[in-house]
Amino acid sequence: MLALDEIDGYRVRPGYYEMNGATVIPDGVNFTCYSKNATNITLLLFRRGETAPFARLPFPESYRIGRVYSMIVFGINIENLEYAYSVDGPWDPVRGLLFDKNHMLLDPYAKAVSGQRLWGQNDNRSGIYRARVVRDNFEWNAAQQLITPMEDSIIYELHVRGFTKHPSSGVKYPGTFEGLKEKVPYLKHLGITAVELMPIFEFDETRDKRIVNGRTLLDYWGYNTVSFFAPNTAYASVGEHNYEGMELKNLIKEFKENGIEVILDVVFNHTAEGDENGPYISFKGFDNNIYYMLTPDGKYYNFSGCGNTMNCNNPIVQELIVNCLRYWVEEYRVDGFRFDLASILGRSEDGSPMDRPPLIQRLAYDPILGNAKLIAEAWDAGGMYQVGSFPAWKRWAEWNGKYRDDLRSYLKGDYWAAPEAVKRITGSMDLYDGEYVGYNSSINFLTCHDGFPLYDLYSYNNKHNEDNGWNNTDGSNDNRSWNCGVEGPTDDPGIESLRFRMMRNAITVLMCSRGTPMLLAGDEFANSQFGNNNAYCQDNEISWLDWSYMEKNMNYYNFYRNVIQFRKRHPAIRKDLQPARCGFPYISTHVEDPYNDYISKDSKMIGVRFAGYSRDKGHDDVVYIAINVYWEDVPIKLPDMPEGCYWSLAIDTAADDGKYFYNRPRPLTGDRWLMKARSVAVFNGTFPSDYN
């Protein structure tokens, strides 16, 4: 391939127009970008770390096809290279046109961003970002998507930095992809099947850097994306110039080799560019009125609560998002995505909800994404709440916010919430039919990054976010929590005992519910955020997992892990099997009297029985979960078993002897059981060979 022109001392020729971003080719780099309304674009080349470009290469008009600009630059050394663009065009804010050739703009398809390597030390308030050219020579060998069925999945949400940053984690490279890799054996032992990584796309944690109560606060969670195609370089344990993503790929490969899927938390609802007062990083300068939803006078709609809203159903933005997700599936082999504030993906360009959003439909049917899990946070900050009505095309699952809310209320003692609670435990089929795929649509959770962890859910009545610097006005006031009698830490052994019983109740109910359970990292050993329910800015002990709780609460950890294994051993909980040979229905509900299936607001106790014939086991699989959230003991009768069959106790969260879990379920001598106050008991059905 021969150069056709020379610009600013570099040999060039028209490039590959469908090859987005910067791509290494023999003896050169292909640079391709797009703008609908620009009048001309200039490629800016920088030496690493320098602020002024050493070369400016305007795209000749003949290097443009349609609105796509592409140029091959020969003979450049990518090892010491950074690049950006200058985009010229009309300045007309009312029409949403914000072109200014003096802005140095980041490539929307940048595979790596410079200047972000050292966590907390980047100060890009000027908004000037540059990209690097990345070589991709990672060898995946036979690593593929694992495709664990939704009904068999157990998702574990974690923050890459916070998972190992605390000194108690004991890893060699705390707070990094490599540090997380050191914990893969732990996660495999815990029994989860998928990790859901909070945002790992490049973001600038110093964006709103400030000091409050002696702590430096950062944009710790990372929900303000700078570049959708670039991994966060501060999460790598070593510098990876021109090989960015290698450490992350090794981490993902390690997860796959241990049977654990990787799901990415992705943020396409807004970007780090903010509103009219925000920086010009990329999209504002390339095509502001295409990439963002704008009001008739050129202002930013703010359905994200973060200053701007991506115009997701514009065809150009659709293409960007689809290409991004395909890239992460193809190049990083990720297994799925959780979409932050996903309802925004269903808004039209004027912000109104769409009946059949083209982007959501396109993702549902995209062939490259065909096996990827698609999980929606089915609401946004503009008031749209779509749990049970998100346009799913029998493809999308949802964070079931109603499961969280109804079960939090019920488990803390609101026994009158039993009618709603039993719907959630049995799979929320009042929500998921029609466009959904039933039980596989519901991601059941009680805790996530946004809110109290499980220990705090039973240690605090109120949020305590003073350390965030907003006079405790931030964060949700609707926590549905209960402090068990004392707000925060206590030396009262009775209260601590009750708190751990409440946590045992919670994890048992979650693991014995139809739908896909999601766990929050650290809940398994009672990690605390000290009452902070909005720790988005806390890069410190408030958010970091304190692994010393593991040793302190080992009995609880073992219980938690055993309940995960219990779910795995009992497919009747997870899905409809073949009809049970004993004649039981797939799911039945009960109260103290097992012949009464009417759950009312007066029901002190609820019971749910799951049953089916397991071909793998070669016999019926029957599980009965009994829940008493009332503050007094309640005697119950278990459902009758066929002649020659009996119930065995597997879990008792209020066991007097402290043995809450039985690896070998303990046979009962009858069908009566005294449900202790605020307790959960789980029973197995045991059958003779006639039912095999």
Side-chain angles (χ1 to χ4, degrees), residues 524-593:
E524 68 270 25
F525 48 76
N527 188 70
S528 175
Q529 291 181 176
F530 315 106
N532 192 317
N533 76 346
N534 187 36
Y536 75 99
C537 56
Q538 299 292 341
D539 178 38
N540 51 54
E541 290 81 359
I542 291 176
S543 287
W544 301 341
L545 297 197
D546 184 345
W547 291 83
S548 68
Y549 286 117
M550 170 72 80
E551 182 177 356
K552 177 183 176 184
N553 301 319
M554 182 56 71
N555 287 338
Y556 173 69
Y557 167 79
N558 285 332
F559 176 86
Y560 194 103
R561 178 180 174 275
N562 280 326
V563 176
I564 290 174
Q565 299 304 320
F566 181 84
R567 178 182 178 85
K568 288 184 170 184
R569 289 197 298 268
H570 291 284
I573 297 173
R574 309 193 303 270
K575 56 192 173 185
D576 287 347
L577 305 171
Q578 294 180 4
R581 297 189 178 182
C582 67
F584 292 160
Y586 291 129
I587 302 176
S588 60
T589 58
H590 308 267
V591 291
E592 295 94 323
D593 174 3

Side-chain angles (χ1 to χ4, degrees), residues 214-272:
R215 285 192 173 107
T216 299
L217 304 188
L218 302 171
D219 185 16
Y220 168 75
W221 279 354
Y223 283 94
N224 289 291
T225 307
V226 166
S227 179
F228 292 114
F229 292 81
N232 190 325
T233 52
Y235 284 172
S237 63
V238 295
E240 295 181 314
H241 293 293
N242 310 118
Y243 293 93
E244 282 82 359
M246 292 288 282
E247 190 169 304
L248 174 57
K249 290 176 180 179
N250 275 305
L251 168 64
I252 294 173
K253 189 175 182 181
E254 182 76 9
F255 272 126
K256 289 182 179 299
E257 290 174 352
N258 284 274
I260 298 174
E261 292 184 313
V262 175
I263 299 170
L264 300 187
D265 190 343
V266 293
V267 188
F268 292 113
N269 59 78
H270 74 285
T271 76

Side-chain angles (χ1 to χ4, degrees), residues 51-300:
T51 58
F54 65 83
R56 295 174 178 267
L57 285 69
F59 285 82
E61 184 62 26
S62 60
Y63 285 37
R64 183 178 105 175
I65 295 179
R67 278 73 180 262
V68 178
Y69 299 72
S70 190
M71 177 165 51
I72 295 173
V73 182
F74 294 98
I76 55 176
N77 175 19
I78 69 167
E79 311 302 326
N80 194 39
L81 180 73
E82 298 173 353
Y83 74 98
Y85 290 104
S86 169
V87 183
D88 201 5
W91 177 268
D92 189 348
V94 174
R95 294 170 55 207
L97 303 174
L98 303 179
F99 292 98
D100 185 339
K101 64 181 180 182
N102 295 313
H103 288 144
M104 297 181 184
L105 301 177
L106 181 67
D107 181 359
Y109 281 82
K111 304 303 190 296
V113 180
S114 66
Q116 299 288 106
R117 171 73 189 94
L118 300 177
W119 176 271
Q121 298 183 34
N122 315 307
D123 194 357
N124 278 314
R125 291 193 175 96
S126 62
I128 298 175
Y129 294 85
R130 295 185 296 275
R132 282 198 289 272
V133 184
V134 175
R135 293 187 188 274
D136 180 22
N137 58 359
F138 188 83
E139 180 54 69
W140 285 100
N141 295 320
Q144 299 292 328
Q145 289 178 309
L146 296 176
I147 320 179
T148 304
M150 284 297 264
E151 64 267 22
D152 296 331
S153 296
I154 300 172
I155 300 172
Y156 184 90
E157 188 196 34
L158 65 86
H159 186 282
V160 169
R161 179 172 170 84
F163 195 66
T164 62
K165 184 58 182 174
H166 196 281
S168 61
S169 71
V171 301
K172 185 176 180 181
Y173 300 102
T176 67
F177 294 131
E178 188 65 24
L180 176 54
K181 184 181 174 183
E182 294 180 61
K183 290 290 188 180
V184 170
Y186 164 82
L187 292 170
K188 183 177 182 179
H189 180 261
L190 180 61
I192 55 98
T193 69
V195 290
E196 183 174 299
L197 306 181
M198 289 175 64
I200 61 166
F201 294 176
E202 192 67 82
F203 63 90
D204 181 8
E205 69 281 357
T206 67
R207 166 187 160 150
D208 295 314
K209 189 174 182 178
R210 54 203 167 93
I211 297 177
V212 175
N213 296 336
R215 285 192 173 107
T216 299
L217 304 188
L218 302 171
D219 185 16
Y220 168 75
W221 279 354
Y223 283 94
N224 289 291
T225 307
V226 166
S227 179
F228 292 114
F229 292 81
N232 190 325
T233 52
Y235 284 172
S237 63
V238 295
E240 295 181 314
H241 293 293
N242 310 118
Y243 293 93
E244 282 82 359
M246 292 288 282
E247 190 169 304
L248 174 57
K249 290 176 180 179
N250 275 305
L251 168 64
I252 294 173
K253 189 175 182 181
E254 182 76 9
F255 272 126
K256 289 182 179 299
E257 290 174 352
N258 284 274
I260 298 174
E261 292 184 313
V262 175
I263 299 170
L264 300 187
D265 190 343
V266 293
V267 188
F268 292 113
N269 59 78
H270 74 285
T271 76
E273 290 188 300
D275 58 16
E276 295 82 1
N277 300 314
Y280 290 76
I281 297 172
S282 180
F283 299 111
K284 280 184 179 179
F286 269 98
D287 266 321
N288 181 64
N289 63 348
I290 286 178
Y291 289 106
Y292 295 115
M293 292 184 190
L294 301 180
T295 65
D297 60 351
K299 304 296 183 182
Y300 293 91

Side-chain angles (χ1 to χ4, degrees), residues 486-502:
V486 172
E487 189 75 356
T490 179
D491 294 328
D492 187 321
I495 290 176
E496 274 292 276
S497 176
L498 177 57
R499 288 175 176 174
F500 276 88
R501 182 190 300 183
M502 299 293 283

